Amino acid sequence: MKKRFLTVGAAALAVTFGLTGCGAPGSATNPDAAEEEVPAEGEGPYSLVVEENPEFEEGTTMAELSEAGSMTIGTKFDQPLFGLRAPDGVPEGFDVAIGALIAAKMGIPFDGIEWTETVSANREPFIQNGSVDAVVATYTINDKRKEVVDFAGPYYVAGQALMVLEGDDTITGPEDVEGQQVCSVAGSTPAATIEQEYGAVVVPTDVYSKCLDPLRNGQVVAVTTDNVILAGFVDQNEGEFKLVDGGATFTEEPYGIGIEKGDQAFRDFINDTLEEAYDDGTWQRLFEATAGQVIENTPEPPAVDRY
Ligand code: GLU
């Protein structure tokens, strides 16, 4: 298999290209994964142990969802590695696995989860109006968003990067896109950053996959969003695109699980669930089964922020 390595992000993650992308969960091709893999023993595509009759204090979101045996999770449907809808209609990726982990802790099996597509701009409204119980969707924790929703996590830290056509050597960093057309997604942190801090002219769309044709056609000079999202597109479209400056990042994007503002018990429960998964190797196993199929080195999980 042809392999070439590219560094993405401050954490110096090496991305392996030439793999088939997000393969079957559990069939890690990451060499580290094979050695450290935690035995899979549970149910569903991520082999998670679904709690049997977990007990929660009455009146909590956990009690309500656990009793119902189902929950609705918002995620992306067009982002390889984190949330990509498979041909059977069910999404897969690291965000999906994290959502499934939280559900399993409440006794909800994978097929008890209803997946709703959330795009960058509708995540807060969907949480606020109760369309979803939680959002796990490459969702950066920041103060502006915290005014209207709450976040558990972070469970991963990405960083903003730029993607250009494979043969383009004119753009070497975000300073080079000043005054130029760059595609990104409305309501995302990278769209705001590239416009406000680097003076790019943002050509907005609703989902990142819709930026690929404008880049191919020369309508924009670059696409910008988080390194791991772009790495998924580079991997899926072999030979067409590349990350600028080896995937160098110029922001930090800590990914959180968005929930209703003020639901402290639910936030604590999700944070406890993440910490347990960090400690027992489940987080690492889920990463390696999903995004780790392309991002070669599994990072250390970030400390949760119980703000
Ligand atoms: N993490 C960034 C954000 O939450 C970019 C990725 C996305 O739009 O989902 O805005």
Side-chain angles (χ1 to χ4, degrees):
M1 186 184 302
K2 185 171 78 87
K3 282 188 182 180
R4 54 199 179 95
F5 295 94
L6 187 62
T7 306
V8 293
L13 306 176
V15 175
T16 309
F17 291 95
L19 301 178
T20 51
C22 197
S27 64
T29 51
N30 174 347
D32 294 344
E35 283 165 28
E36 292 169 22
E37 197 164 354
V38 174
E41 42 179 290
E43 301 170 17
Y46 302 104
S47 302
L48 290 161
V49 177
V50 179
E51 290 294 320
E52 273 182 48
N53 303 317
E55 295 202 353
F56 297 106
E57 200 179 319
E58 223 188 310
T60 59
T61 300
M62 297 81 81
E64 191 194 306
L65 297 177
S66 171
E67 169 83 5
S70 65
M71 73 181 291
T72 304
I73 301 178
T75 196
K76 298 295 185 83
F77 278 8
D78 73 321
Q79 293 179 187
L81 313 185
F82 278 70
L84 181 67
R85 191 156 55 157
D88 64 2
V90 178
E92 59 187 27
F94 190 50
D95 282 340
V96 176
I98 292 290
L101 168 75
I102 295 159
K105 270 279 153 202
M106 291 188 283
I108 301 169
F110 191 77
D111 60 11
I113 303 169
E114 190 187 317
W115 300 98
T116 294
E117 182 179 20
T118 44
V119 299
S120 303
N122 68 17
R123 291 174 293 197
E124 290 93 279
F126 273 30
I127 294 168
Q128 288 176 287
N129 69 22
S131 300
V132 294
D133 298 304
V135 165
V136 195
T138 58
Y139 197 9
T140 295
I141 302 170
N142 66 28
D143 290 344
K144 184 159 174 258
R145 291 171 177 168
K146 276 190 205 164
E147 286 171 15
V148 290
V149 300
D150 266 326
F151 289 98
Y155 61 91
Y156 188 76
V157 181
Q160 184 171 355
L162 285 162
M163 181 174 82
V164 294
L165 291 175
E166 167 79 41
D168 182 350
D169 290 324
T170 63
I171 295 170
T172 59
E175 293 79 13
D176 292 338
V177 297
E178 189 178 351
Q180 306 228 57
Q181 314 256 88
V182 174
C183 189
S184 195
V185 162
S188 71
T189 50
T193 300
I194 207 73
E195 186 172 68
Q196 290 161 19
E197 292 180 28
Y198 295 98
V201 179
V202 171
V203 176
T205 180
D206 57 346
V207 290
Y208 294 105
S209 51
K210 290 191 191 163
C211 283
L212 302 186
D213 275 341
L215 182 59
R216 290 183 179 110
N217 301 337
Q219 290 164 295
V220 297
V221 297
V223 177
T224 192
T225 185
D226 301 338
N227 54 349
V228 292
I229 300 173
L230 297 175
F233 290 131
V234 172
D235 178 62
Q236 268 205 334
N237 299 279
E238 215 191 322
E240 279 201 89
F241 309 122
K242 68 176 180 191
L243 300 188
V244 168
D245 193 15
T249 56
F250 45 95
T251 66
E252 272 208 348
E253 309 288 332
Y255 289 172
I257 294 130
I259 58 165
E260 191 186 351
K261 188 164 175 64
D263 194 342
Q264 185 68 42
F266 194 29
R267 186 147 65 97
D268 287 343
F269 162 78
I270 297 173
N271 282 332
D272 292 346
T273 301
L274 289 176
E275 281 180 346
E276 192 185 318
Y278 293 175
D279 291 346
D280 71 8
T282 301
W283 181 93
Q284 290 80 354
R285 179 175 70 75
L286 296 178
F287 184 84
E288 285 158 9
T290 55
Q293 296 284 302
V294 168
I295 297 165
E296 203 198 23
N297 295 325
T298 303
E300 284 298 311
V304 302
D305 177 13
R306 293 176 191 261
Y307 64 88

